[in-house]
Amino acid sequence: GRKIRKFFKRWSDMRLKVNVNYIQTSKSGINIYEYNYIWGSKKYRGVMAQELLDSHPSAIGKRLGYYTVDYDQLDVNFERVDG
């Protein structure tokens, strides 16, 4: 995958994702998934914000009513998956 630069919080709300597949767990215990956003066909790899509300609250934000994640605070990269 291609690492995407992390200058702002990414939408990571599970309500915005479809075709979600668990991939692995990070060293710190965060679940990593591959998915599509509801508005497109490109595949991404990242986390589900709702799973981090208790364990990483400082990494969670909200934009337009949906959860976002600051990946700089996690041991997970937000990536576009080729193929």
Side-chain angles (χ1 to χ4, degrees), residues 2-35:
R2 289 184 297 178
K3 184 175 174 181
I4 296 176
R5 299 180 80 165
K6 311 187 223 179
F7 291 118
F8 58 91
K9 291 186 178 187
R10 297 271 175 197
W11 267 316
S12 288
D13 195 305
M14 62 179 54
R15 296 171 293 171
L16 299 175
K17 299 174 181 179
V18 293
N19 304 318
V20 176
N21 292 299
Y22 168 81
I23 300 301
Q24 65 187 48
T25 301
S26 75
K27 289 182 181 179
S28 71
I30 298 171
N31 291 331
I32 302 170
Y33 301 89
E34 286 185 357
Y35 50 84

Side-chain angles (χ1 to χ4, degrees), residues 58-76:
S58 65
I60 305 298
K62 249 189 177 179
R63 186 174 354 136
L64 301 175
Y66 294 99
Y67 290 114
T68 60
V69 169
D70 179 357
Y71 278 84
D72 285 333
Q73 296 187 42
L74 308 178
D75 67 338
V76 176

